[in-house]
Amino acid sequence: MSSRIELNLLPSATAGLLASVPWLALAGFTALAGLLGWPLLLLFLPILAGLAWHSFRGCGLLRGKTAVVGLWADHSGLFCRCGDGRVMPVTVDSSSCVGSRFLALKLRPTGATSGTLFTLIISDLGPLRANTPADDIRRLTMWLRLGYPHPA
């Protein structure tokens, strides 16, 4: 029988910036291509900026209905608490990235056929501020790597 692992995520500009980097990079390439000969691509910049803000708001500021604000794991599986107060059992998708100081988790609600939640969990990365204590990340990482119960 394993002990319960609880992570309460804190707002973090570092996590928000990391979550918005793909959208900002795409916006940069779109702006460059728009300036070099395809001006219609510049029409997509507001959309890409909105997607970057949505990622920053959800993963960094922990605002919004689908923002993951807490995770816990016990003998029965993994659960998440969303920004709107919902608590749901989730499974970790195979496209998640599990590292020693950084977890990029794509969570799928158990029993759902569509819809995923995304969260970034970071430990201290030099001068960058973490969004949860390092010991909690280490325990969750080991729990994920060693395997966890999957619903039948």
Side-chain angles (χ1 to χ4, degrees):
M1 189 155 171
S2 62
S3 62
R4 185 176 166 122
I5 301 169
E6 287 191 49
L7 274 88
N8 291 315
L9 301 178
L10 302 170
S12 168
T14 305
L17 288 173
L18 288 173
S20 62
V21 161
W23 298 113
L24 295 175
L26 186 58
F29 288 126
T30 302
L32 183 63
L35 294 174
L36 292 177
W38 293 294
L40 288 177
L41 287 177
L42 295 174
L43 296 174
F44 290 102
L45 287 178
I47 295 168
L48 294 172
L51 290 170
W53 173 248
H54 180 73
S55 294
F56 182 84
R57 188 173 181 264
C59 290
L61 300 178
L62 303 179
R63 305 286 168 127
K65 294 189 315 185
T66 59
V68 177
V69 297
L71 287 170
W72 71 88
D74 59 17
H75 61 88
S76 60
L78 184 65
F79 298 86
C80 80
R81 188 174 67 251
C82 295
D84 61 358
R86 288 179 298 152
V87 174
M88 65 181 85
V90 293
T91 57
V92 178
D93 197 64
S94 61
S95 62
S96 298
C97 178
V98 178
S100 62
R101 294 183 180 186
F102 181 86
L103 300 172
L105 299 178
K106 184 176 179 183
L107 305 170
R108 185 172 306 280
T110 303
T113 57
S114 64
T116 58
L117 303 169
F118 179 74
T119 188
L120 289 174
I121 304 171
I122 55 174
S123 181
D124 290 326
L125 300 170
L128 304 177
R129 186 173 160 233
N131 60 353
T132 196
D135 289 338
D136 293 343
I137 292 175
R138 190 171 15 260
R139 291 178 63 210
L140 181 63
T141 301
M142 291 304 298
W143 189 81
L144 290 170
R145 286 186 177 165
L146 292 175
Y148 57 94
H150 295 282

